[in-house]
Amino acid sequence: MFCNQCEQTTRGDVCHQWGACGKSPEVDALQDLLVHCLRGLSQVALQAKSLGIATRETDEFTCEMLFSTLTNVNFSVDDFINFVNRAIALRESLKLQIKATGNAVVESAMANFQPDSDTKQQIQQGKDLEFAFIGQSAKNIDIFSLKLTVLYGLKGLAAYAFHACELDQHDEGLYTFCHEVLANLDAQDKTLEEWLALALKVGEINLKAMELLDAGNTTTFGHPTPTVVPLGSTVGKAILVSGHDLLALKAVLEQTVGTGIKVYTHGELLPAHGYPKLKQTYPHLHGHYGTAWQNQTHEFDHFPGAIVMTTNCLMPPHQSYQDKVFTLGPVGYPGLQHTSIRDISSIIAKAESMPGFESECDRGTVTTGFARNAVLGVADAVVNAVKDGSIRHFFLVGGCDGAKPGRNYYSELVEKLPDDCVVLTLGCGKFRFFDKDLGNIGGIPRLLDVGQCNDAYSAIQIAVALAQAFDVTVNQLPLSLVLSWYEQKAIAVLLSLLYLGIQNIRIGPTLPAFLTPNVVKILSEKFQLKLITSAEQDLAACLS
Ligand code: FSO
Ligand code: SF4
């Protein structure tokens, strides 16, 4: 196998025998086979679009399928075989519609590709395709590096676009872009500069995806407001909802009304408590349990109720708790029960059969809900605090958490900040410091949880509004971006920030393994993108 799409890739290089995430070589091969089939599907979808044939089902499917290949989403051979078959069925259906218009269907090896009917042979086909794809690296390793950047960024973009389309937010240009990238990923005539431009274009379109998701979330659930969230538990049966999907959380809340079951969020669903139409409509949304994804094997084991995994990041479950974990949407793991948000009765039945929390437990509280509306609602106070010197500098410390030791850097950085600095945070990286009481500056909290990783969109809007208020560019603001990355959504967000021309971003805990030294050099020259060093050194540099 060959997979280097995430930060925990083996030895910081590539997973080639077994995924450090738990992905098997078979699943890896089938994911590559699926991407190959999606590329053929995209070629046909583009032709269908040009003929005015409706392709919405294919558009949504393509996003969901790319999402299923993200790190820690789906580990099931059976699911990927099913996904491959669906891709081919959709492709053939579009071909029939094209033929019905009297046109000849686009001819290419990819558009005509037939997966074998035997699972073992399909896996071999995936391996062969992967081998051929990696073979391109021999021609020009830097172009190959940027090609992987484009593909991985596209996967992140597709994940956000999938969440947005669940909330009925669509953008035709976004779907066409996804198909164009997939259809032309093998283009041989692009220069290094053109591949770099395409990577930045992925960032541009990812901004659109995050904007759509923001629109979907805020129109469906209201604009987040600062909300105090208990970290402890209350007596009673319980369901834990993990991942990023607010709509799935709503389905769980809706279907547990009147059951007496309390619903807890986990991981990236903490910001859900800030959305008024969730918190106010469903008082049994009790609080938040646990921390970031990489602690789930311990945290899930101790949770006395059913657990629902709505998106990444799912870790291979331990036997001691796997019977209480359910998956939804593109998430899958062999042996775990998969269900749909339309009917979660099996999850409710599981929660009811379990003891639930038998005593109250007070673990304090955290505050979330400082998305763009809430922060910009006090923009005058923030601007005045900067003008009178009571706020010296803003730090955006955001991104993913992970298991590697170098990630203590982020909590150290936040702990060492002088009292006149404010931290904006987002993504699951916040769990390193989310429960720290940093106090406030003239009533403005020093730690502001903007939301999930996709709420990078909200953070960008805050930065743009502040820059306008001070009549400067975002790069001239007293603002430093210190990001942690783990998987492909973080790559998409990074590309969005680079597309916006944001300079001096610090990223860690390591640089992506798929970036060659030459590509890193180009990015550092063009954007002053840098690897984190030590908390002291970076803090001094940011404040100098
Ligand atoms: Fe974290 Fe996982 Fe949100 Fe990622 S839960 S690591 S960047 O999926 O998406 O921040
Ligand atoms: Fe390795 Fe990450 Fe790929 Fe999993 S997703 S196989 S850990 S590089």
Side-chain angles (χ1 to χ4, degrees), residues 1 3-10 15 19-21 23 71 488:
M1 69 184 276
C3 186
N4 63 0
Q5 65 179 0
C6 84
E7 177 264 338
Q8 66 177 350
T9 189
T10 306
C15 293
C21 58
K23 178 163 81 174
T71 304
Q488 299 78 56

Side-chain angles (χ1 to χ4, degrees), residues 38 109 170-171 215 387 410 419 444 446 476 508 511 525 527 529:
L38 293 177
H170 304 275
D171 183 82
K387 283 188 178 157
Y410 297 95
D419 291 348
I444 301 161
R446 287 189 56 229
Q476 292 167 323
L511 286 171
E525 283 171 3
F527 300 102
L529 179 72

Side-chain angles (χ1 to χ4, degrees), residues 252-369:
V252 172
L253 289 165
E254 217 160 47
Q255 292 173 56
T256 46
V257 168
T259 61
I261 293 172
K262 296 281 187 281
V263 176
Y264 296 77
T265 54
H266 179 263
E268 274 277 68
L269 275 172
L270 166 64
H273 293 269
Y275 287 88
K277 288 188 189 162
L278 287 174
K279 187 65 199 161
Q280 287 161 17
T281 318
Y282 305 103
H284 62 299
L285 173 59
H286 178 74
H288 186 79
Y289 172 93
T291 52
W293 66 272
Q294 77 280 0
N295 302 322
Q296 70 187 248
T297 47
H298 173 74
E299 292 170 356
F300 286 4
D301 205 12
H302 287 83
F303 190 78
I307 298 166
V308 192
M309 206 67 211
T310 65
T311 59
N312 51 335
C313 291
L314 172 68
M315 294 172 78
H318 289 183
Q319 216 179 354
S320 56
Y321 65 81
Q322 64 178 7
D323 66 315
K324 64 183 179 191
V325 183
F326 295 75
T327 58
L328 290 173
V331 191
Y333 195 92
L336 292 191
Q337 297 179 67
H338 189 80
T339 186
S340 147
I341 60 170
R342 284 186 292 280
D343 177 11
I344 63 149
S345 49
S346 53
I347 301 171
I348 293 173
K350 185 70 200 172
E352 279 171 341
S353 75
M354 294 185 63
F357 286 102
E358 283 160 354
S359 58
E360 296 279 327
C361 175
D362 182 1
R363 292 183 192 275
T365 59
V366 291
T367 306
T368 188

Side-chain angles (χ1 to χ4, degrees), residues 520-541:
V520 171
K521 188 164 166 273
I522 294 169
L523 294 178
S524 61
E525 283 171 3
K526 218 171 155 52
F527 300 102
Q528 314 303 315
L529 179 72
K530 25 181 119 15
L531 182 63
I532 57 168
T533 60
S534 69
E536 294 84 359
Q537 200 176 318
D538 286 352
L539 199 52

Side-chain angles (χ1 to χ4, degrees), residues 244 268 293 312-313 399-400 427-428 453 486-487 489-490:
H244 301 72
E268 274 277 68
W293 66 272
N312 51 335
C313 291
C400 329
C428 59
C453 47
Y486 168 64
E487 42 88 320
K489 286 189 272 181

